[in-house]
Amino acid sequence: MPTLNHRTWLPVVLSALLCSQAAAETFEVKMRNRSATGPMTYEPEFLQIKPGDKVKFLASSSGHDAVSIPGMAPAGAKPFKGKINEEIEVSFDAPGLYGVQCLPHYAMGMVMLVQVGDAPLPGLQVPAEVPERAQQRFKDIVSRASAPR
């Protein structure tokens, strides 16, 4: 049996690292004035992704942006803030639940939820300062995402 040394195992380790980075997916989310779930929505309103995956927010209707909600992300997650009518691509690295808002339509309930890894949906903590319509939409999102398929 051949002896393993850095010349034999190093290329295997480097190849595995490069493949794991290449395996990350990019998901598209449309920012819309209306969808099947109502007015002022992200489509889809819920994503379940793996750590390292990215989400590209598309300006499908004018007047929208994608912004992280303070207090609705795992510890250490980097906040993000897109510009109105511009696409933004965000990498979600830390496992957990992330709340996303459209600043101009936040009070109207324009939010979405991103589940990274196996974070339990019933564990979603919505801060008290989140507008009432946005709180209700988060409840609806969790209900729909938790329903048997």
Side-chain angles (χ1 to χ4, degrees):
M1 176 178 250
T3 306
L4 291 178
N5 60 41
H6 75 281
R7 289 190 178 133
T8 55
W9 61 261
L10 187 58
V12 173
V13 170
L14 290 175
S15 177
L17 288 172
L18 291 174
C19 287
S20 68
Q21 290 176 351
E25 291 186 62
T26 300
F27 296 84
E28 292 186 348
V29 172
K30 297 175 182 174
M31 299 179 281
R32 296 191 170 269
N33 291 337
R34 177 166 287 285
S35 74
T37 58
M40 302 302 158
T41 59
Y42 291 96
E43 192 176 276
E45 65 184 358
F46 172 74
L47 281 176
Q48 184 177 20
I49 63 176
K50 295 178 289 221
D53 284 348
K54 296 178 181 180
V55 176
K56 181 186 273 189
F57 294 91
L58 305 173
S60 300
S61 301
S62 65
H64 303 293
D65 61 10
V67 179
S68 56
I69 299 175
M72 289 192 72
K78 185 179 175 187
F80 60 89
K81 182 177 182 181
K83 295 180 181 176
I84 292 176
N85 298 329
E86 288 188 5
E87 293 181 4
I88 180 175
E89 189 170 287
V90 179
S91 179
F92 290 85
D93 299 317
L97 299 172
Y98 293 76
V100 180
Q101 65 176 310
C102 171
L103 279 178
H105 304 109
Y106 189 36
M108 296 174 72
M110 189 167 176
V111 294
M112 77 167 292
L113 184 62
V114 179
Q115 179 186 29
V116 179
D118 296 325
L121 284 177
L124 178 66
Q125 298 293 317
V126 180
E129 56 273 4
V130 170
E132 185 178 330
R133 290 173 91 180
Q135 287 189 29
Q136 184 59 51
R137 182 146 301 158
F138 277 123
K139 287 179 188 173
D140 295 344
I141 290 169
V142 168
S143 176
R144 284 190 283 272
S146 301
R149 297 170 199 225

mmCIF file of all heavy atoms in Angstrom, residues 60-83:
data_model
loop_
_atom_site.group_PDB
_atom_site.id
_atom_site.type_symbol
_atom_site.label_atom_id
_atom_site.label_comp_id
_atom_site.label_asym_id
_atom_site.label_seq_id
_atom_site.Cartn_x
_atom_site.Cartn_y
_atom_site.Cartn_z
ATOM 1 N N SER A 60 -38.071 43.268 -10.216
ATOM 2 C CA SER A 60 -39.092 42.882 -11.199
ATOM 3 C C SER A 60 -40.176 43.940 -11.349
ATOM 4 O O SER A 60 -40.806 44.037 -12.387
ATOM 5 C CB SER A 60 -39.725 41.550 -10.794
ATOM 6 O OG SER A 60 -38.726 40.562 -10.741
ATOM 7 N N SER A 61 -40.433 44.681 -10.303
ATOM 8 C CA SER A 61 -41.350 45.828 -10.314
ATOM 9 C C SER A 61 -40.578 46.997 -9.715
ATOM 10 O O SER A 61 -39.699 46.800 -8.890
ATOM 11 C CB SER A 61 -42.592 45.546 -9.466
ATOM 12 O OG SER A 61 -43.298 44.421 -9.926
ATOM 13 N N SER A 62 -40.916 48.196 -10.112
ATOM 14 C CA SER A 62 -40.158 49.352 -9.615
ATOM 15 C C SER A 62 -40.561 49.739 -8.195
ATOM 16 O O SER A 62 -41.670 49.463 -7.753
ATOM 17 C CB SER A 62 -40.327 50.548 -10.557
ATOM 18 O OG SER A 62 -41.668 50.965 -10.558
ATOM 19 N N GLY A 63 -39.610 50.349 -7.500
ATOM 20 C CA GLY A 63 -39.867 50.902 -6.178
ATOM 21 C C GLY A 63 -39.522 49.988 -5.012
ATOM 22 O O GLY A 63 -39.916 50.260 -3.888
ATOM 23 N N HIS A 64 -38.774 48.903 -5.263
ATOM 24 C CA HIS A 64 -38.484 47.944 -4.199
ATOM 25 C C HIS A 64 -36.985 47.799 -3.953
ATOM 26 O O HIS A 64 -36.172 48.090 -4.823
ATOM 27 C CB HIS A 64 -39.068 46.568 -4.549
ATOM 28 C CG HIS A 64 -40.539 46.602 -4.798
ATOM 29 N ND1 HIS A 64 -41.452 46.879 -3.819
ATOM 30 C CD2 HIS A 64 -41.246 46.398 -5.938
ATOM 31 C CE1 HIS A 64 -42.669 46.842 -4.339
ATOM 32 N NE2 HIS A 64 -42.564 46.563 -5.630
ATOM 33 N N ASP A 65 -36.660 47.311 -2.756
ATOM 34 C CA ASP A 65 -35.287 46.977 -2.404
ATOM 35 C C ASP A 65 -35.305 45.758 -1.490
ATOM 36 O O ASP A 65 -36.372 45.251 -1.142
ATOM 37 C CB ASP A 65 -34.570 48.161 -1.746
ATOM 38 C CG ASP A 65 -35.211 48.638 -0.454
ATOM 39 O OD1 ASP A 65 -36.121 47.951 0.074
ATOM 40 O OD2 ASP A 65 -34.812 49.699 0.050
ATOM 41 N N ALA A 66 -34.132 45.279 -1.118
ATOM 42 C CA ALA A 66 -33.999 44.156 -0.193
ATOM 43 C C ALA A 66 -33.015 44.576 0.895
ATOM 44 O O ALA A 66 -31.880 44.948 0.601
ATOM 45 C CB ALA A 66 -33.502 42.914 -0.920
ATOM 46 N N VAL A 67 -33.483 44.506 2.152
ATOM 47 C CA VAL A 67 -32.696 44.973 3.289
ATOM 48 C C VAL A 67 -32.880 43.986 4.444
ATOM 49 O O VAL A 67 -34.003 43.552 4.717
ATOM 50 C CB VAL A 67 -33.174 46.385 3.731
ATOM 51 C CG1 VAL A 67 -32.396 46.888 4.931
ATOM 52 C CG2 VAL A 67 -33.092 47.369 2.576
ATOM 53 N N SER A 68 -31.791 43.656 5.109
ATOM 54 C CA SER A 68 -31.899 42.769 6.271
ATOM 55 C C SER A 68 -32.660 43.480 7.389
ATOM 56 O O SER A 68 -32.608 44.700 7.519
ATOM 57 C CB SER A 68 -30.520 42.328 6.745
ATOM 58 O OG SER A 68 -29.703 43.437 7.034
ATOM 59 N N ILE A 69 -33.387 42.698 8.177
ATOM 60 C CA ILE A 69 -34.156 43.246 9.298
ATOM 61 C C ILE A 69 -33.316 43.100 10.567
ATOM 62 O O ILE A 69 -32.934 41.981 10.927
ATOM 63 C CB ILE A 69 -35.509 42.517 9.461
ATOM 64 C CG1 ILE A 69 -36.364 42.701 8.199
ATOM 65 C CG2 ILE A 69 -36.244 43.023 10.701
ATOM 66 C CD1 ILE A 69 -37.665 41.925 8.212
ATOM 67 N N PRO A 70 -33.036 44.207 11.256
ATOM 68 C CA PRO A 70 -32.269 44.117 12.508
ATOM 69 C C PRO A 70 -32.961 43.178 13.504
ATOM 70 O O PRO A 70 -34.176 43.223 13.677
ATOM 71 C CB PRO A 70 -32.270 45.556 13.030
ATOM 72 C CG PRO A 70 -32.483 46.404 11.807
ATOM 73 C CD PRO A 70 -33.388 45.586 10.913
ATOM 74 N N GLY A 71 -32.173 42.305 14.111
ATOM 75 C CA GLY A 71 -32.713 41.371 15.092
ATOM 76 C C GLY A 71 -33.313 40.112 14.495
ATOM 77 O O GLY A 71 -33.820 39.269 15.228
ATOM 78 N N MET A 72 -33.266 39.976 13.162
ATOM 79 C CA MET A 72 -33.825 38.785 12.511
ATOM 80 C C MET A 72 -32.769 38.118 11.647
ATOM 81 O O MET A 72 -32.952 37.902 10.452
ATOM 82 C CB MET A 72 -35.061 39.142 11.681
ATOM 83 C CG MET A 72 -36.259 39.509 12.523
ATOM 84 S SD MET A 72 -37.779 39.605 11.566
ATOM 85 C CE MET A 72 -38.079 37.860 11.243
ATOM 86 N N ALA A 73 -31.641 37.800 12.287
ATOM 87 C CA ALA A 73 -30.549 37.096 11.613
ATOM 88 C C ALA A 73 -29.728 36.404 12.694
ATOM 89 O O ALA A 73 -29.730 36.824 13.855
ATOM 90 C CB ALA A 73 -29.682 38.062 10.819
ATOM 91 N N PRO A 74 -29.019 35.348 12.315
ATOM 92 C CA PRO A 74 -28.170 34.668 13.305
ATOM 93 C C PRO A 74 -27.047 35.585 13.799
ATOM 94 O O PRO A 74 -26.649 36.523 13.095
ATOM 95 C CB PRO A 74 -27.577 33.490 12.534
ATOM 96 C CG PRO A 74 -28.294 33.419 11.242
ATOM 97 C CD PRO A 74 -28.979 34.717 11.013
ATOM 98 N N ALA A 75 -26.547 35.297 14.972
ATOM 99 C CA ALA A 75 -25.425 36.065 15.522
ATOM 100 C C ALA A 75 -24.258 36.022 14.544
ATOM 101 O O ALA A 75 -23.939 34.982 13.984
ATOM 102 C CB ALA A 75 -25.010 35.495 16.871
ATOM 103 N N GLY A 76 -23.663 37.179 14.311
ATOM 104 C CA GLY A 76 -22.503 37.272 13.433
ATOM 105 C C GLY A 76 -22.828 37.440 11.960
ATOM 106 O O GLY A 76 -21.929 37.638 11.157
ATOM 107 N N ALA A 77 -24.108 37.347 11.591
ATOM 108 C CA ALA A 77 -24.479 37.522 10.182
ATOM 109 C C ALA A 77 -24.301 38.986 9.786
ATOM 110 O O ALA A 77 -24.630 39.896 10.551
ATOM 111 C CB ALA A 77 -25.924 37.100 9.955
ATOM 112 N N LYS A 78 -23.760 39.191 8.604
ATOM 113 C CA LYS A 78 -23.511 40.547 8.115
ATOM 114 C C LYS A 78 -24.805 41.152 7.553
ATOM 115 O O LYS A 78 -25.439 40.562 6.688
ATOM 116 C CB LYS A 78 -22.439 40.501 7.023
ATOM 117 C CG LYS A 78 -22.021 41.846 6.519
ATOM 118 C CD LYS A 78 -20.941 41.725 5.456
ATOM 119 C CE LYS A 78 -20.635 43.086 4.871
ATOM 120 N NZ LYS A 78 -19.726 43.013 3.748
ATOM 121 N N PRO A 79 -25.214 42.342 8.052
ATOM 122 C CA PRO A 79 -26.409 42.990 7.500
ATOM 123 C C PRO A 79 -26.178 43.428 6.050
ATOM 124 O O PRO A 79 -25.039 43.631 5.623
ATOM 125 C CB PRO A 79 -26.630 44.207 8.401
ATOM 126 C CG PRO A 79 -25.490 44.270 9.337
ATOM 127 C CD PRO A 79 -24.588 43.111 9.099
ATOM 128 N N PHE A 80 -27.270 43.574 5.305
ATOM 129 C CA PHE A 80 -27.168 44.037 3.921
ATOM 130 C C PHE A 80 -28.272 45.044 3.632
ATOM 131 O O PHE A 80 -29.304 45.059 4.291
ATOM 132 C CB PHE A 80 -27.220 42.858 2.938
ATOM 133 C CG PHE A 80 -28.483 42.042 3.011
ATOM 134 C CD1 PHE A 80 -29.594 42.367 2.238
ATOM 135 C CD2 PHE A 80 -28.558 40.956 3.854
ATOM 136 C CE1 PHE A 80 -30.748 41.611 2.311
ATOM 137 C CE2 PHE A 80 -29.714 40.186 3.934
ATOM 138 C CZ PHE A 80 -30.808 40.518 3.156
ATOM 139 N N LYS A 81 -28.012 45.910 2.649
ATOM 140 C CA LYS A 81 -28.989 46.927 2.268
ATOM 141 C C LYS A 81 -28.824 47.225 0.784
ATOM 142 O O LYS A 81 -27.835 47.811 0.362
ATOM 143 C CB LYS A 81 -28.783 48.206 3.085
ATOM 144 C CG LYS A 81 -29.807 49.276 2.770
ATOM 145 C CD LYS A 81 -29.618 50.502 3.647
ATOM 146 C CE LYS A 81 -30.697 51.533 3.336
ATOM 147 N NZ LYS A 81 -30.534 52.730 4.144
ATOM 148 N N GLY A 82 -29.828 46.796 0.010
ATOM 149 C CA GLY A 82 -29.831 47.080 -1.414
ATOM 150 C C GLY A 82 -30.411 48.459 -1.682
ATOM 151 O O GLY A 82 -30.981 49.099 -0.791
ATOM 152 N N LYS A 83 -30.257 48.909 -2.899
ATOM 153 C CA LYS A 83 -30.821 50.194 -3.319
ATOM 154 C C LYS A 83 -32.131 49.954 -4.063
ATOM 155 O O LYS A 83 -32.317 48.911 -4.687
ATOM 156 C CB LYS A 83 -29.837 50.931 -4.216
ATOM 157 C CG LYS A 83 -28.567 51.322 -3.506
ATOM 158 C CD LYS A 83 -27.623 52.047 -4.421
ATOM 159 C CE LYS A 83 -26.342 52.396 -3.671
ATOM 160 N NZ LYS A 83 -25.354 53.008 -4.540
#
